[in-house]
């Protein structure tokens, strides 16, 4: 593993602090990102035990966003049409934004975060509140094999691939496929989106890296879709090598060629990326400094895990950003880890509240700009750091 980016000491991105614990010392971890020249995998170096991150208080809910809900709905229509599955399983089913698009008797959720698993179970969806592994796969698929396994924004959190793919292989039917969806490394590099790296995001995948990993488990990618969610993601359609039911789509080679053209297989690309990250930090600090010099207020929008990386790396705190608006009930009245900026219940933006808004949830820019068009029309400004820090 060759290191290329040091994002400093970072708290756990999703451990929002309650007011009574504001003065407690937070645990911080070195956030260093590296590149493996053998399998092209980009990952963080210090991983945190999963039990510390995915517990009964996991705050992120997919259903909070219209973009994600629509993306899952569209995909479910496509899956039904193309693959006609009898049984579907989702690894990391969160609050059910994907599985709720299927009939209750033909979908199974797997979600280790108990607070989230309870939501879908209460609605009548079979949900296992466990980590996806070989023993769970055996238990679930004993009577009936699974035709489609879907997992979005989850594999990037899981250290042990071997267990995952063994469990997938065990439980898939003969024609069965696996669909993985995760932020695209190419988009991350192009957008200088260094905030895709935080303690929970162990990996940001490229097609070339995933291909190498899958190879070891006798799986292969037969189609790739580039989607707009989470700042640009890839949806990989994967099958067993021996499964000749699906043809190789030319998209796969196209994606690989583009990634190689952009140098994702070379260490020098990542060194250049790290230099851009440093510039991005300097520039964001300048932008914020200038606004504060003019005695203007800044608030944040979308208290994301990504913001946690940015704020802690750029050492921006409650002296510069008064508070964040967020729609997630769990985060409200708590404080962002590290920067200790308060999260308040979302209200429509108004010029008399603030002139400047730091766009923490930049991956939902389109949705947010539509929602806040009155604020924008009245002269309200957003600060974004993607692809480089500027006021818009
Ligand atoms: P997410 O995109 O999952 O980012 P991360 O994985 O980095 O945490 O989180 C989006 C956050 O933004 C979530 O807390 C909900 C919030 N949000 C709003 O408050 N308003 C909005 O209109 C949208 C789209 C999101």
């Amino acid at each position: 593993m060759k290191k290329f980016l040091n994002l400093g000491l970072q708290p756990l991105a999703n451990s929002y602090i309650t007011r009574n614990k504001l003065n407690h010392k937070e645990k911080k971890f070195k956030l260093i990102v590296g590149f493996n020249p053998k399998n092209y995998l980009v990952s963080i170096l210090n991983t945190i035990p999963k039990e510390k991150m995915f517990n009964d208080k996991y705050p992120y809910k997919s259903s909070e966003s219209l973009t994600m809900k629509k993306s899952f709905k569209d995909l479910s229509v496509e899956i039904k049409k193309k693959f006609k599955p009898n049984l579907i399983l989702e690894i990391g089913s969160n609050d059910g934004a994907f599985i709720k698009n299927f009939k209750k008797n033909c979908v199974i959720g797997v979600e280790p975060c108990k607070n989230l698993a309870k939501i879908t179970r209460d609605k009548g969806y079979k949900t296992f509140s466990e980590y996806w592994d070989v023993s769970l796969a055996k238990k679930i698929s004993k009577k009936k094999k699974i035709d489609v396994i879907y997992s979005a924004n989850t594999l990037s959190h899981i250290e042990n691939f071997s267990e995952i793919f063994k469990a997938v292989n065990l439980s898939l039917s003969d024609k069965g496929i696996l669909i993985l969806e995760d932020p695209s490394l190419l988009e991350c590099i192009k957008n200088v989106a260094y905030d895709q790296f935080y303690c929970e995001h162990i990996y940001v995948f490229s097609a070339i890296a995933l291909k190498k990993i899958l190879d070891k488990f006798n799986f292969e990618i037969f189609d790739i879709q580039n989607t707009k969610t989470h700042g640009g993601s890839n949806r990989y359609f994967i099958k067993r090598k021996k499964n000749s039911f699906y043809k190789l789509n030319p998209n796969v080679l196209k994606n690989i060629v583009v990634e190689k053209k952009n140098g994702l297989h070379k260490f020098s690309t990542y060194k250049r990326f790290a230099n851009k990250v440093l510039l991005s930090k300097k520039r964001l600090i300048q932008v914020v400094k200038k606004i504060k010099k003019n005695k203007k207020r800044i608030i944040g929008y979308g208290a994301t895990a990504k913001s946690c990386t940015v704020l802690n790396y750029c050492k921006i705190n409650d002296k510069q950003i008064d508070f964040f608006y967020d729609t997630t009930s769990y985060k409200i009245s708590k404080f962002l880890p590290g920067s200790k900026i308060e999260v308040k219940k979302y209200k429509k933006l108004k010029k008399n509240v603030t002139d400047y808004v730091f766009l923490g949830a930049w991956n939902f820019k389109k949705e947010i700009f539509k929602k806040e068009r009155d604020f924008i029309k009245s002269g309200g400004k957003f600060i974004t750091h993607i692809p480089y820090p500027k006021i818009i």
Side-chain angles (χ1 to χ4, degrees):
M1 185 65 73
K2 291 171 91 172
K3 297 175 198 175
F4 62 87
L5 180 63
N6 183 349
L7 292 166
L9 277 181
Q10 295 272 354
L12 288 183
N14 272 314
S15 8
Y16 296 82
I17 313 165
T18 51
R19 189 177 291 277
N20 60 340
K21 291 201 177 137
L22 262 180
N23 294 324
H24 292 201
K25 201 170 156 47
E26 282 176 278
K27 272 214 175 100
K28 294 201 176 160
F29 305 86
K30 274 187 195 158
L31 189 60
I32 296 170
V33 193
F35 170 69
N36 182 336
K38 282 200 186 112
N39 63 6
Y40 310 144
L41 197 59
V42 167
S43 63
I44 64 170
L45 267 64
N46 287 352
T47 54
I48 316 290
K50 57 185 188 297
E51 292 76 12
K52 279 206 172 138
M53 298 184 281
F54 308 108
N55 42 42
D56 56 353
K57 290 191 191 72
Y58 193 66
Y60 176 68
K61 283 194 194 157
S62 322
S63 298
E64 301 277 345
S65 143
L66 291 175
T67 315
M68 291 314 291
K69 277 204 316 204
K70 183 170 181 317
S71 165
F72 289 137
K73 187 162 187 220
D74 292 348
L75 176 64
S76 71
V77 172
E78 186 183 341
I79 288 177
K80 284 178 213 170
K81 210 169 130 195
K82 266 195 192 158
F83 305 109
K84 301 184 179 56
N86 292 317
L87 188 59
I88 302 138
L89 178 135
E90 186 182 17
I91 307 171
S93 50
N94 199 272
D95 65 349
F98 173 72
I99 60 172
K100 74 165 198 222
N101 295 294
F102 297 91
K103 283 191 193 132
K104 289 182 181 144
N105 59 356
C106 69
V107 68
I108 299 170
V110 174
E111 175 50 68
C113 302
K114 291 196 170 60
N115 58 324
L116 297 170
K118 187 177 180 306
I119 299 174
T120 49
R121 204 178 292 127
D122 286 351
K123 284 186 187 144
Y125 287 93
K126 194 167 189 179
T127 312
F128 291 85
S129 181
E130 291 171 46
Y131 289 100
W132 173 250
D133 59 14
V134 168
S135 82
L136 181 63
K138 274 186 189 161
K139 186 161 82 183
I140 293 179
S141 64
K142 204 157 61 190
K143 286 197 190 116
K144 200 172 167 190
K145 297 284 181 198
I146 303 157
D147 302 310
V148 172
I149 298 182
Y150 177 58
S151 190
N153 305 306
T154 303
L155 191 67
S156 51
H157 298 303
I158 302 173
E159 203 172 357
N160 186 355
F161 292 143
S162 168
E163 184 77 17
I164 298 299
F165 292 115
K166 273 183 197 155
V168 168
N169 188 34
L170 228 145
S171 51
L172 275 186
S173 62
D174 287 346
K175 273 195 219 165
I177 62 157
L178 167 69
I179 308 172
L180 292 176
E181 185 170 332
D182 276 283
S184 143
L185 182 62
L186 181 61
E187 292 303 316
C188 165
I189 298 286
K190 276 189 183 166
N191 287 323
V192 198
Y194 62 91
D195 51 352
Q196 292 285 14
F197 297 103
Y198 49 92
C199 52
E200 279 177 21
H201 267 185
I202 304 174
Y203 311 100
V204 178
F205 293 108
S206 57
I208 53 172
L210 192 61
K211 184 175 181 292
K212 291 233 177 207
I213 296 160
L214 291 169
D215 218 35
K216 286 210 319 218
F217 302 98
N218 288 318
F219 281 106
E220 63 186 1
I221 305 170
F222 67 95
D223 196 5
I224 301 178
Q225 293 173 353
N226 308 118
T227 71
K228 295 227 154 32
T229 56
H230 288 294
S233 295
N234 284 340
R235 186 178 282 155
Y236 305 94
F237 293 78
I238 296 157
K239 63 175 186 65
R240 291 189 189 94
K241 283 186 179 170
K242 64 178 181 197
N243 173 352
S244 53
F245 203 79
Y246 302 103
K247 280 206 199 96
L248 181 71
N249 190 301
N251 281 338
V252 178
L253 189 62
K254 251 188 229 163
N255 272 271
I256 288 174
V257 169
V258 173
E259 286 187 355
K260 288 208 165 158
K261 254 191 193 155
N262 282 277
L264 294 199
H265 58 310
K266 288 191 225 152
F267 185 62
S268 55
T269 306
Y270 300 99
K271 288 296 282 181
R272 271 202 305 279
F273 170 72
N275 288 336
K276 284 188 194 163
V277 173
L278 208 58
L279 276 179
S280 173
K281 172 184 180 170
K282 281 187 188 152
R283 199 152 168 175
L284 182 63
I285 293 172
Q286 272 170 7
V287 169
V288 168
K289 230 184 196 167
K290 202 166 164 197
I291 296 172
K292 293 317 284 181
K293 214 175 146 195
N294 292 331
K295 306 243 174 323
K296 296 281 187 197
R297 183 182 219 185
I298 306 174
I299 69 161
Y301 197 116
T304 56
K306 290 189 276 292
S307 308
C308 178
T309 294
V310 176
L311 299 172
N312 286 290
Y313 178 57
C314 299
K315 300 202 166 47
I316 294 173
N317 56 31
D318 58 349
K319 287 192 188 78
Q320 289 99 7
I321 298 185
D322 287 21
F323 60 85
F324 263 77
Y325 272 146
D326 200 286
T327 51
T328 315
S329 50
Y330 175 80
K331 295 181 186 176
I332 293 162
S333 301
K334 294 197 176 74
F335 295 77
L336 274 151
S339 62
K340 298 189 174 166
I341 302 171
E342 190 174 0
V343 184
K344 291 193 178 179
K345 188 176 172 171
Y346 164 74
K347 278 195 198 130
K348 224 173 153 54
L349 291 179
K350 290 224 168 75
K351 260 294 252 127
N352 61 1
V353 175
T354 190
D355 294 302
Y356 294 93
V357 180
F358 172 70
L359 192 56
W362 58 267
N363 44 320
F364 294 115
K365 184 171 147 191
K366 222 170 144 189
E367 180 176 338
I368 291 170
F369 278 20
K370 204 166 152 193
K371 211 153 84 180
E372 308 301 343
R373 44 174 182 254
D374 292 345
F375 173 71
I376 297 169
K377 262 194 206 151
S378 64
K381 301 276 182 218
F382 280 89
I383 306 165
T384 185
H385 61 291
I386 300 293
Y388 57 88
K390 61 182 170 194
I391 295 170
I392 39 176

